[in-house]
Each structure stands twice: as C-alpha cells, then as structure tokens.
C-alpha cells in the first residue's frame, strides 16, 4: 500500500440469496482511496452503491475480497478493533438523520464523543467547534427536529466531523434537499477536503456532482 493510500478495496464480490435465487450485486470491484481526496461512488438506484459503502466501512463482510486499511484486512479485525476503526476513523452523514429527540443540537453533535469515552467537559467544546465549522453554532440550544432539512444536514456534517475522522462518508446526503440546500451540503463536503484535509467518500445518483470528484467509482 502506498503512503498516500488510506484504504483499498480488492476484488470485492457480494451476492445475496433472494427467494432461493442467488443475486450478484458486486462483481470484482477494486479501487484505492487516497489521502485528502474527494471520491464519488455513483450509479442508478439498485446498482450496489450502499452495499459497497457498507462493505467499505466494516458493516457488511463481502462474499469475497478484502478491504485493506493500515496493511490489514478490516474483516480480520477483532470486533473491538473494527468498532474502534468505525468510531475513530469515520464520520457518517446519511440522507435520513436520526436524532435523540430529548437532546439539543449541541448534545446530539457531542454524542459520538460520549461513546468514545470523552467527558462532557471535553465533549461540549469540541461539539461547538464542529458546529462553528459548518456555521451552525447559533443553533446549538435548539432541538434538531425544529430545524429545516438543510439545517439538519449541516448539523449532521458537524456530528460527522466532531471525532476528527480520517474519512467523511456521505450516503446520498442531498437526496431529500432542494438544489440550494443540496449545493450548500456539497460545499461543506468540499470544505472537509480542502480546508480540513479530510478524505470524502460520497454516494450519489446525481450526475451534476461528478465534476467535483478527484476520483469516480
């Protein structure tokens, strides 16, 4: 693995048994993700984009093939090491957000840090910094469900950044937004790469975003 390669997908196959039939979703997929790049996984609905993302992030073991991180296959990790890989190295943004309704924006953004064992004293300033990075610090005391869709996605970006991850994984983050808010989220993702030096992996079916990528999959 080259110094600039963060993660490698090697000859990934994924099949499922559906109603007694074998359904092949991924067939021999290979690529490298290099440091500080903007990567877009694209294709029509049902083409296996989210399946590939689940495999890449340690959620779903492929039928065959390997995902190499730090010179080892993530599917050879112990369950604890795999959980640490996901918790420390990856920040997630989804199309649909799941908030703890009883907590405000700041507390929801801090939640990944609590799971990592951070104290509230340490977590809250880091969560506020993440909100400042996406221009949402003035919304810290509001409840997420009272925000617009675009505002919620910006908060989701803050939550993805709060644990200082290597990767930002975004699965159709603009799918439920209008074009103005969608463009705002894309700008934030570009800032993650350009300003914060993170590696971004975006799954989308929107062909308008493809020119933004350093690498298309």
């Amino acid at each position: 693995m080259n110094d600039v390669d963060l993660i490698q997908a090697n000859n990934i196959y994924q099949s499922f048994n559906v109603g007694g039939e074998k359904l092949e979703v991924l067939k021999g997929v290979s690529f490298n993700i290099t440091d500080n790049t903007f990567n877009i996984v694209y294709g029509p609905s049902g083409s296996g984009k989210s399946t590939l993302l689940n495999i890449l992030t340690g959620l779903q073991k492929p039928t065959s093939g390997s995902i190499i991180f730090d010179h080892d296959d993530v599917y050879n990790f112990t369950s604890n090491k795999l959980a640490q890989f996901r918790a420390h190295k990856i920040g997630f943004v989804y199309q649909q957000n799941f908030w703890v309704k009883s907590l405000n924006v700041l507390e929801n953004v801090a939640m990944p840090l609590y799971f990592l064992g951070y104290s509230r004293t340490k977590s809250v300033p880091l969560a506020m910094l993440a909100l400042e990075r996406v221009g949402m610090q003035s919304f810290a005391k509001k409840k997420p469900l009272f925000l617009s869709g675009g505002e919620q996605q910006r908060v989701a970006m803050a939550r993805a950044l709060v644990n200082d991850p290597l990767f930002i994984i975004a699965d159709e983050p603009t799918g439920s937004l209008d074009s103005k808010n969608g463009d705002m989220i894309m700008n934030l993702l570009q800032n993650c790469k350009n300003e914060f030096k993170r590696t971004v992996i975006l799954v989308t079916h929107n062909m308008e975003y493809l020119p933004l990528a350093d690498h298309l999959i």
Side-chain angles (χ1 to χ4, degrees):
M1 193 152 112
N2 298 329
D3 290 341
V4 293
D5 286 339
L6 289 183
I7 199 163
Q8 290 179 338
N10 295 324
N11 207 27
I12 298 296
Y13 284 80
Q14 182 66 64
S15 60
F16 300 99
N17 288 317
V18 180
E21 298 287 333
K22 182 179 180 181
L23 177 64
E24 291 187 339
V25 178
L26 301 174
K27 305 174 185 178
V29 177
S30 298
F31 56 87
N32 294 358
I33 300 292
T34 55
D35 187 27
N36 191 208
T37 55
F38 197 105
N39 305 269
I40 293 182
V41 182
Y42 71 100
S45 297
S47 59
K49 302 186 300 298
S50 293
T51 296
L52 179 60
L53 204 61
N54 288 341
I55 292 170
L56 196 63
T57 55
L59 275 174
Q60 180 176 309
K61 186 175 183 178
T63 305
S64 63
S66 60
I67 300 295
I68 305 298
F69 176 78
D70 197 21
H71 307 285
D72 196 8
D73 186 347
V74 300
Y75 291 101
N76 289 334
F77 289 174
T78 64
S79 58
N80 283 342
K81 187 175 180 180
L82 185 58
Q84 289 176 354
F85 165 70
R86 288 174 47 76
H88 289 272
K89 304 299 183 184
I90 304 173
F92 293 94
V93 184
Y94 297 104
Q95 179 175 340
Q96 179 69 40
N97 291 301
F98 298 96
W99 307 113
V100 180
K101 296 178 183 179
S102 60
L103 301 181
N104 63 29
V105 162
L106 183 65
E107 293 164 334
N108 269 279
V109 171
M111 188 64 66
L113 299 178
Y114 298 146
F115 288 129
L116 292 175
Y118 286 58
S119 67
R120 178 178 173 82
T121 303
K122 188 173 182 180
S123 298
V124 168
L126 290 173
M128 185 59 79
L129 176 62
L131 285 170
E132 289 172 3
R133 285 177 164 180
V134 300
M136 290 295 288
Q137 64 271 27
S138 63
F139 293 78
K141 299 301 183 183
K142 295 182 180 294
K143 294 293 179 69
L145 293 180
F146 289 102
L147 305 184
S148 69
E151 289 166 347
Q152 288 190 45
Q153 283 301 69
R154 288 161 67 188
V155 172
M157 288 290 300
R159 186 171 59 181
L161 286 166
V162 75
N163 63 332
D164 199 27
L166 278 176
F167 305 97
I168 299 294
I169 305 291
D171 190 359
E172 299 279 11
T174 66
S176 60
L177 303 179
D178 59 34
S179 59
K180 180 182 177 181
N181 281 301
D183 290 346
M184 186 182 301
I185 295 303
M186 293 305 298
N187 287 335
L188 287 173
L189 287 169
Q190 287 181 286
N191 284 345
C192 287
K193 180 221 166 185
N194 297 327
E195 185 176 347
F196 307 137
K197 306 304 178 186
R198 299 294 179 262
T199 296
V200 177
I201 303 172
L202 167 70
V203 168
T204 185
H205 65 270
N206 191 333
M207 299 296 103
E208 293 180 7
Y209 297 144
L210 299 191
L212 303 176
D214 301 309
H215 181 206
L216 295 173
I217 302 167

